[in-house]
Amino acid sequence: MTLTSTTSHGPGPGASPRTGAGGADRHGGADTPARSPGGGRRAVLPGLLVAGVGAAAAWAVHWALPAVPTLTVAIVLGVVAAHLPAVRDRVRGVARPGLSVAGKRLMRLGIVLLGLKLSVQDVRALGWPTIVMVVAVVAATFLGTWWLGRRIGLPGDQPLLIAAGYAICGASAIGAVSAATGSDEEDAASSVALVTLCGTLAIAVLPLLQHPLGLDAAEFGRWVGASVHDVGQVVATAQTADPAALGDAVLVKLMRVALLAPLVAVVALALRRRHATRPGPATKPSIVPLFVVGFLVMIGLRSTGWLPAGVLDGAALAQEILLSAALFGLGSAVHLPTLARTGKRAAALGLSAWAVVAGVSYVGVLLTA
């Protein structure tokens, strides 16, 4: 759900007795203070603070257990907070508006900064055979996962969001596509949970398959970069081989990240065409959302070579913090009883999509070796 729908079902815990649903004056007058900019900021502040605490806790866990990616911990902590008796009422009540803002707005800012990890020179360094292989893997994974998700009857936008997460870059891609399409918050949260779980399993499973599949270090790195979802998970998986594997893995992974912008544009264009065929007024999604434009601008800025290493390191840290808070916010929107009702279908889709992306990327690596 959007932030508007999250806060418009009735007076929240801090609503004034003079206001009705959404803070509108019951007597039909001008907006009350509950709808003023200051009131809006006060409404989201508790949730933003909770998201910040959740991000800090995720970083603490990662510091204690470096093998566990921060972003994975962040979404797990969000899910726990949403179901822990001591805090769940606050998470679902007074903190909900701010957590929704974290899951959407902070996610978009993190995606913009993600562009600073990639340059045009990095893409060229891969070579055309590898670039074609990455595009083919992304297309096959996205279309195959989306089709299968619809066939098995997953609700809402989950098939689309899970397909984007597997094909591009996990939670960041899900956040980008859900923002462009206005997907329900719970669909986005459930999709992130599934993709994060499977990406985390890859950290343990893929290194065990390197030698049985006959992959040298460089080939293993490209396979990991083409098949694992989140950038942090790629690093954690590839570093089990050697520095050469890690370098190739990150380059291939960032090439997949570069495809985020065209994927969002294609999805938004398809939605515009679908809306155009429907009777009555309808809002048309922007073909290229503003945060995707920012993502492309950051790629261009990184490609100039003007930014010093200190600035890039600071941006990388800020991006990790923003995405940690955003994923905690998304995790807090997961409702396990609802997720359990589609759990078997979602798990089947997740495992099938995992097999597709791993199989297609393995074939691609062999063909381009």
Side-chain angles (χ1 to χ4, degrees):
M1 65 185 72
T2 63
L3 180 61
T4 302
S5 62
T6 303
T7 58
S8 62
H9 293 155
S16 166
R18 296 177 58 247
T19 59
D25 194 312
R26 289 180 179 177
H27 301 291
D31 287 349
T32 66
R35 294 187 57 144
S36 67
R41 285 192 292 268
R42 287 193 296 270
V44 303
L45 184 57
L48 290 176
L49 290 175
V50 171
V53 171
W59 275 75
V61 173
H62 174 67
W63 179 80
L65 302 169
V68 181
T70 307
L71 302 186
T72 300
V73 178
I75 190 169
V76 170
L77 291 178
V79 175
V80 170
H83 296 83
L84 197 64
V87 297
R88 66 185 178 192
D89 289 340
R90 291 183 179 274
V91 167
R92 296 174 184 174
V94 67
R96 187 70 254 152
L99 289 170
S100 295
V101 168
K104 295 179 175 66
R105 304 285 180 86
L106 299 187
M107 175 70 76
R108 296 174 194 179
L109 290 174
I111 291 169
V112 170
L113 292 179
L114 185 61
L116 288 175
K117 290 189 173 181
L118 182 67
S119 70
V120 175
Q121 292 85 348
D122 292 333
V123 176
R124 289 176 179 173
L126 289 174
W128 282 109
T130 301
I131 292 173
V132 171
M133 181 268 287
V134 171
V135 173
V137 168
V138 168
T141 303
F142 179 77
L143 295 174
T145 304
W146 190 10
W147 176 83
L148 182 60
R150 296 182 66 182
R151 289 283 295 178
I152 65 178
L154 279 184
D157 285 340
Q158 287 186 39
L160 174 65
L161 299 178
I162 293 171
Y166 271 88
I168 304 291
C169 52
S172 299
I174 292 172
V177 173
S178 66
T181 59
S183 300
D184 184 86
E185 185 180 22
E186 191 167 322
D187 284 345
S190 300
S191 301
V192 167
L194 176 65
V195 173
T196 301
L197 173 62
C198 291
T200 303
L201 291 175
I203 298 173
V205 174
L206 263 59
L208 300 177
L209 299 177
Q210 177 186 354
H211 296 298
L213 293 177
L215 298 174
D216 61 26
E219 292 168 343
F220 176 70
R222 290 197 295 273
W223 183 47
V224 170
S227 61
V228 180
H229 319 317
D230 180 77
V231 176
Q233 294 165 346
V234 167
V235 172
T237 307
Q239 69 185 4
T240 60
D242 63 19
L246 181 57
D248 281 7
V250 171
L251 277 178
V252 172
K253 177 60 192 176
L254 292 179
M255 175 59 198
R256 286 170 66 195
V257 172
L259 296 176
L260 176 63
L263 176 67
V264 172
V266 168
V267 170
L269 183 60
L271 288 176
R272 283 172 66 94
R273 290 180 175 176
R274 188 172 69 182
H275 290 166
T277 63
R278 293 177 177 176
T283 57
K284 296 182 178 180
S286 173
I287 294 179
V288 183
L290 185 59
F291 71 92
V292 176
V293 174
F295 170 80
L296 295 174
V297 169
M298 292 298 105
I299 293 177
L301 188 58
R302 171 66 185 268
S303 302
T304 64
W306 297 340
L307 298 178
V311 171
L312 295 176
D313 290 342
L317 177 61
Q319 179 233 331
E320 194 83 1
I321 292 172
L322 288 168
L323 291 183
S324 298
L327 288 179
F328 182 90
L330 277 179
S332 70
V334 173
H335 187 237
L336 290 180
T338 301
L339 185 62
R341 287 196 285 270
T342 57
K344 291 182 180 179
R345 286 176 290 167
L349 177 61
L351 293 175
S352 300
W354 197 13
V356 168
V357 68
V360 173
S361 59
Y362 176 68
V363 172
V365 167
L366 294 183
L367 292 176
T368 57

